[in-house]
Structures are given as structure tokens and as C-alpha cells.
Amino acid sequence: MFDYFLGLDCSTQSLTAFIIDFNSKKIIYRHSINYDRDLPHYHTKNGIIISNDNKVIHSYPLMWVEALDILFGIMKKKEIQLQGIKAISGSGQQHGTVYLNDKFEKKLQNLSPNEFIVDQINDCLTRKSSPIWMDSSTSKQCKEIRNTLGGMRETIKLTGSNTFERFSGPQIRKFYQEHTEEYIKTSIIHLVSSYMASILLGKNAPIDHGDGSGMNLMNIETKQWDNRALKSTAPSLKEKLPNLSNSYDVIGKISPYFIEKYGFNPDTLLVAWSGDNPNSLIGTGLIGKGKVAISLGTSDTYFGYLKRLLLDLNGEGHVFGAPTGDYMSLICYKNGSLAREKIRQKFSLSWAQFSEILKTIPPGNYGKIILPYFYPEIVPLVLEPKVYKFGLEENDLAGNIRAIIECQFLSMRLHSEWIKEKPEEIYATGGASANREILQVAADIFNTKVRRFEITNSAALGAALRSAKSYYDYIKSSKNWSQIINKFVNFQQSDIILPNIKYKELYDMMLELYRKCEEYILKKGKNPESFRRKFIKNYF
Ligand code: XUL
């Protein structure tokens, strides 16, 4: 008999499916629907719609659902044994909110397999588009909520994070303030993860503790909705939110629509969906101390497993619930792959050329520094996008390439200092982790070995693994996390990139240089030029 598990990843640019066969330890199917390419009628670029000086960034909930039907249609055509899927879970880009009226649940309960879902729920949205994690238009609401909760430190202690522009609470408050009537008509507000889970479940699904902690609405210790946070965000909010659940809860069985239309097994279990970063924690096998992951995707994130709650009282980092029931630390960059793309496209290079050129320049890049805020940045907080350069000419091809990669990792090293532990090992994931030259720079800057796996979509894999864990718990054939993870996260066959010890000192000094450049631009610090000259004199 088959023990298949399906992991879905509803990310910024695509919807991906991974099916794993637990018995043969193989990924038997993977496929992605790319929103720009496969659903051109939504006119997204990189899966998003940008308006208003780069601050308002939305996407379309109907597009994600349309992608789901297309994906399952392809699987059926390919004669994938959907009958054999024992459980499904999923991953969503974090923080995005979906606003729905009271027809939504009824519609989900009565979906006709003769039509597509998108055509049956299109009158259920009280807001056609969803603000997503890249949106940075809620500074006013962040301030209001933070002040009501007693300031930054109190907000962090209560919710695990300072208020952030992209977090769901400030976004909900903005919708309430600017579209009060539509807010009143909204009967349920989902996250991307719980919305997609609801579609599969045929009724409103809960928000899990992992994604729930990215809202500024959940008490990070009790893992319950916090009344003070709810009140400071918008009226009657509790009634409009789904329940919270453990990430590992079985939330029900697959809805008849999918059984009739695509041939799923009526006994297929659904496990709560979570955010992409919590899923990646499992998909990279991060269930112990001392190791962290860097995910180089549309967003770049740096995250690690925490046995106990650890807060960044300086306000840059986050603590989220981990799928194991513990916690995870995280910092997030908006200028991840889109910033690397900007440089690559400016010089019309392929990725292979980009990597070749990256190698030709020595570590330290002759003291050339870039602060790459092509888009508003999250860490450090930069609301007005602008790119700052030190000793770096506009048309210096190799200098710009080396600078963007070095400076992204210098920033990660600098802004993850609050996590305190120097990682013993870094696991790399996300699209750009396929690029060995980029990871060599990371290894040298952190002076830590970097491990990369054959599978770069750790969010989809993590979702499939989570569904397997919950399934075996459910049928009382429990397996621990290591037993689940070790079957698919292949440590033996992973590629290890060793740091070059001779660059340790150079990068320690360059970190100071980077810190000074940032302080100069963002905190009116001292001009870093004399320190930069010293750095150049020392190493070049
Ligand atoms: C995390 C974050 C991003 C999104 C993008 O806080 O905002 O990593 O989850 O996928």
C-alpha cells in the first residue's frame, strides 16, 4: 500500500506540490504553477501587484485558488495516484490577509465539481486583493498599535515581535480605518495559509501557532488571541478570526469537491497549514540547537530552532511558533532575490555568468559596499527605498556583483547578533541556494560551514513531512521528528561548503565597516570613509 503525503507551498511567485512516498523515501512528484506565466490574466509581476511608491504590495486570493485547480488537474492527467495520499498539509507566504464575507463557508460546503472553485467563490471576497508580506504601507497603524500596547518592548513581550508594516494586525487596522464598510461586511479574516487550508477542508480552517505569531495579535506565551492586541487593532476582531491551533493538529478530512473532481481518497487527512518559514524549519531538518538556516528566495530569511522563548527586545527579529510546538527565531529581508535580480538584469547576465564573475573578485571587494534598498527594507527598517554605495561605481560590473552578495550576508550576520549563538552549521535553502558561489560567500562571512541539499524548496517538503508526522500520530503509529526528517533530508548526500579560515579577520573587519556604513546612512552616524580606507589598506 502507498504511504503518500502531499505538501503544497503557496508562495509569493508560485504554487508548488511535492508528493513524498514514505515507504520508498522518494519524492514521487513535484510541480509548480507560476502565477505570472500560467495565470497571465491576473497581470502580476513576480506574483505581485505594486502600487503607490513601492509601499502597497498586494496579490490575488482567487489567483492562488485558480492555481490549485490547475495543479490538481495536471496531477490527474499525469495519472498520479492521488488515492494513495494519506494526508496533506501546506505552507503559505506569511502575514498576508484574506477578507471574506459570510457566504464563504457555505460556498465551500457546497462546491460543485463541475465548475472551478474560483468561479464559485468570487463573490465571497470583501477585498479583491490581499496585502502580502512585502507591503510596507502601515507605519501609521504600527505606531498606533504599539503605543496602545505600551511601546515597543511591551509589544514584543506580548506578541513576540515589534509591530511591523507587513504583519497582519497593522494591515487589518488599515483596512478597518480606510474601508470601514467593507471591514464590517467581512465575517472572516484568513491568512494565506488558513485560507488555502479552508478551501481543501470545505469549511473555515484554523490559523496555526507558527503563522499566527506573525500577526501582532497572538500572545506568544499562551498562544491564544490576545484581547488587548485585538482591541488595539480593530473592533469586533475576535469574531472575525478563525480559531488558533497547533501546527500539528489534524483539522479534518479533504472536502468532497476534490474527491469527486480529482479522485482523492475520502479518508485523506488535512493537517493545519503554516507559514513558509516554519515549514522550512522542518524541511531543512532544523529541530535541534546550534544550527540555523538561510532561505534565499523572494525574501531572504535567517532562522533557527529555539527550545525556549527568546525575544529580540531591540525590535528587529521575530519569534514564531515552530511546527514542533516549540519556537523559532527569524529575521527577514525584502531585498533578497529581487535585489540580486536587479543587479543581474542591469548587466544582462545569466546566473552562470553572475557566479563566474562573483568568483573573480577577492573577498572584501576592495572595500566596496552597497546598502541595497531597492525596495523598502524590513531589517533594518527602511521605508524609503534607495540604494547607497561606498567606493562603488554604477557601471563597475564585478564590483556590484560581489557587493550585493557580500553585503546581504554581512547584513544577516550583523542583524542576527541578538540570537547570540554563533551557528555551528548553516543549512541553505531557497532558489538561490542552488548557486554554490553565493554560498561560498556566506560560509566565509559567517566563518561557518554551509550545507545545501538537493531539494531547494524546503517549505513544500516541510509541509509534506509535517503531514506525515501528524498522520502517523493520528493512526497511533507515532514516529519522532528525526525519524520523519531523516528519511528525506539527506545529510549524507548534502553538499558541504567549508569556510576559508584565512578570510575570518577580513570579514570581522568588514562587518564593522558595514555596520558603520549602515549607521552613517540610517542613524546619522560618523562618516565611515576613514575606516573604509583603513580596511582597504589592511587587505589590498
Ligand atoms: C517572514 C516573511 C517572508 C514571507 C515570504 O516573516 O515575511 O519570509 O513569509 O515568504
Side-chain angles (χ1 to χ4, degrees):
M1 244 333 263
F2 307 111
D3 268 9
Y4 289 174
F5 297 95
L6 169 62
L8 293 161
D9 174 29
C10 185
S11 77
T12 315
Q13 306 202 36
S14 55
L15 177 74
T16 300
F18 263 39
I19 302 179
I20 58 173
D21 176 2
F22 203 79
N23 296 329
S24 70
K25 303 190 206 174
K26 287 209 169 74
I27 296 174
I28 58 156
Y29 183 75
R30 50 178 122 175
H31 189 72
S32 283
I33 303 296
N34 177 285
Y35 305 135
D36 297 357
R37 185 192 59 213
D38 300 324
L39 292 157
H41 46 286
Y42 288 94
H43 305 291
T44 55
K45 189 160 181 276
N46 300 317
I48 59 178
I49 301 289
I50 305 185
S51 53
N52 205 346
D53 59 27
N54 275 341
K55 285 198 178 154
V56 176
I57 302 193
H58 284 212
S59 188
Y60 296 112
L62 290 179
M63 179 174 77
W64 307 326
V65 164
E66 205 171 327
L68 187 69
D69 262 322
I70 296 177
L71 189 58
F72 286 164
I74 293 173
M75 288 185 186
K76 186 177 172 186
K77 247 204 198 133
K78 289 237 152 90
E79 298 180 7
I80 306 293
Q81 286 293 324
L82 298 177
Q83 269 283 330
I85 294 175
K86 293 283 196 299
I88 305 175
S89 188
S91 154
Q93 49 172 315
Q94 297 198 250
H95 318 292
T97 34
V98 184
Y99 301 77
L100 299 140
N101 60 27
D102 59 358
K103 290 193 212 149
F104 179 60
E105 190 157 53
K106 282 187 215 106
K107 287 273 170 92
L108 287 186
Q109 283 160 351
N110 296 297
L111 286 178
S112 157
N114 303 322
E115 283 176 73
F116 288 111
I117 304 168
V118 58
D119 300 317
Q120 303 183 62
I121 64 161
N122 62 8
D123 60 348
C124 297
L125 289 154
T126 54
R127 192 179 196 182
K128 286 273 171 266
S129 61
S130 286
I132 62 151
W133 67 275
M134 298 174 86
D135 189 289
S136 56
S137 66
T138 65
S139 301
K140 170 179 171 285
Q141 290 76 17
C142 283
K143 196 169 168 198
E144 289 165 353
I145 297 172
R146 186 168 62 238
N147 286 347
T148 318
L149 292 179
M152 182 176 85
R153 291 171 80 91
E154 292 311 308
T155 307
I156 296 169
K157 283 186 200 153
L158 195 67
T159 71
S161 297
N162 191 8
T163 47
F164 276 87
E165 278 71 10
R166 70 193 194 287
F167 272 39
S168 321
Q171 290 289 346
I172 293 171
R173 182 166 178 78
K174 182 177 171 216
F175 186 57
Y176 152 68
Q177 289 178 335
E178 296 181 2
H179 301 275
T180 311
E181 258 179 57
E182 285 86 348
Y183 176 79
I184 293 168
K185 282 192 204 134
T186 302
S187 48
I188 185 116
I189 303 175
H190 275 295
L191 294 183
V192 178
S193 56
S194 63
Y195 164 72
M196 294 299 281
S198 306
I199 302 283
L200 289 169
L201 186 62
K203 61 180 184 187
N204 284 313
I207 288 179
D208 85 301
H209 295 150
D211 228 6
S213 30
M215 301 177 80
N216 286 134
L217 294 173
M218 188 186 94
N219 183 310
I220 195 68
E221 279 186 37
T222 64
K223 297 183 177 168
Q224 304 287 319
W225 294 127
D226 184 86
N227 279 328
R228 281 208 311 137
L230 294 171
K231 277 214 186 84
S232 58
T233 300
S236 312
L237 184 51
K238 193 156 192 181
E239 294 135 51
K240 297 181 197 287
L241 290 175
N243 293 331
L244 284 163
S245 77
N246 295 304
S247 313
Y248 46 77
D249 283 352
V250 170
I251 57 173
K253 290 190 179 171
I254 194 160
S255 135
Y257 173 89
F258 299 97
I259 301 165
E260 287 163 43
K261 196 173 184 116
Y262 300 112
F264 278 91
N265 191 321
D267 289 327
T268 306
L269 299 182
L270 283 175
V271 175
W273 282 43
S274 188
D276 51 358
N277 293 292
N279 275 291
S280 288
L281 194 80
I282 300 301
T284 49
L286 270 183
I287 48 162
K289 270 170 61 105
K291 296 176 183 87
V292 297
I294 48 178
S295 169
L296 308 174
T298 310
S299 66
D300 279 356
T301 54
Y302 175 103
F303 55 87
Y305 166 84
L306 295 172
K307 182 82 203 141
R308 267 173 219 91
L309 191 57
L310 168 78
L311 299 170
D312 176 19
L313 291 176
N314 291 324
E316 280 184 345
H318 313 301
V319 180
F320 294 155
T324 51
D326 308 308
Y327 289 102
M328 64 184 283
S329 55
L330 180 132
I331 54 172
C332 177
Y333 293 88
K334 213 183 323 186
N335 289 283
S337 73
L338 299 184
R340 290 185 286 274
E341 276 292 340
K342 286 259 185 205
I343 302 278
R344 185 181 73 86
Q345 279 168 4
K346 178 178 155 64
F347 295 107
S348 311
L349 301 169
S350 67
W351 278 115
Q353 291 167 323
F354 185 98
S355 306
E356 272 312 304
I357 298 167
L358 180 63
K359 274 196 303 197
T360 61
I361 301 290
N365 198 13
Y366 307 103
K368 295 172 188 173
I369 297 280
I370 188 170
L371 303 186
Y373 312 133
F374 291 96
Y375 298 88
E377 190 47 280
I378 299 166
V379 174
L381 182 64
V382 177
L383 291 169
E384 300 304 329
K386 189 169 170 189
V387 176
Y388 301 89
K389 296 182 177 182
F390 297 82
L392 181 59
E393 297 294 326
E394 202 50 39
N395 49 12
D396 173 358
L397 181 149
N400 274 281
I401 289 177
R402 184 90 204 171
I404 183 77
I405 302 300
E406 280 190 338
C407 291
Q408 284 181 329
F409 291 124
L410 285 169
S411 176
M412 263 188 199
R413 190 176 145 187
L414 180 65
H415 293 282
S416 60
E417 279 174 351
W418 65 276
I419 302 170
K420 298 226 167 58
E421 271 177 64
K422 177 182 174 322
E424 292 156 20
E425 199 170 324
I426 295 176
Y427 297 166
T429 180
S433 67
N435 189 320
R436 207 171 197 280
E437 285 69 32
I438 291 183
L439 297 187
Q440 184 63 59
V441 179
D444 291 344
I445 287 185
F446 282 93
N447 185 31
T448 302
K449 68 177 175 224
V450 173
R451 196 187 280 272
R452 70 168 176 174
F453 302 94
E454 184 244 329
I455 297 155
T456 54
N457 188 334
S458 53
L461 177 63
L465 295 176
R466 290 198 307 106
S467 71
K469 170 86 172 96
S470 298
Y471 170 78
Y472 290 119
D473 286 347
Y474 185 84
I475 63 161
K476 310 253 174 313
S477 161
S478 280
K479 302 187 188 329
N480 64 33
W481 279 108
S482 302
Q483 287 170 307
I484 298 279
I485 284 169
N486 290 345
K487 284 216 173 196
F488 291 89
V489 183
N490 202 329
F491 291 91
Q492 271 83 43
Q493 280 172 21
S494 61
D495 183 14
I496 293 180
I497 295 129
L498 293 173
N500 196 333
I501 188 83
K502 77 172 189 238
Y503 300 127
K504 183 185 174 306
E505 255 180 39
L506 176 148
Y507 278 125
D508 284 349
M509 185 168 185
M510 198 177 188
L511 185 72
E512 277 319 296
L513 172 60
Y514 187 83
R515 189 197 307 268
K516 286 182 195 302
C517 293
E518 229 189 62
E519 282 174 1
Y520 176 60
I521 296 296
L522 303 177
K523 295 186 184 154
K524 298 199 176 84
K526 215 175 124 214
N527 190 327
E529 198 47 32
S530 60
F531 191 81
R532 203 175 73 82
R533 300 239 154 263
K534 206 162 129 195
F535 174 75
I536 297 170
K537 210 167 147 213
N538 268 6
Y539 294 105
F540 298 99

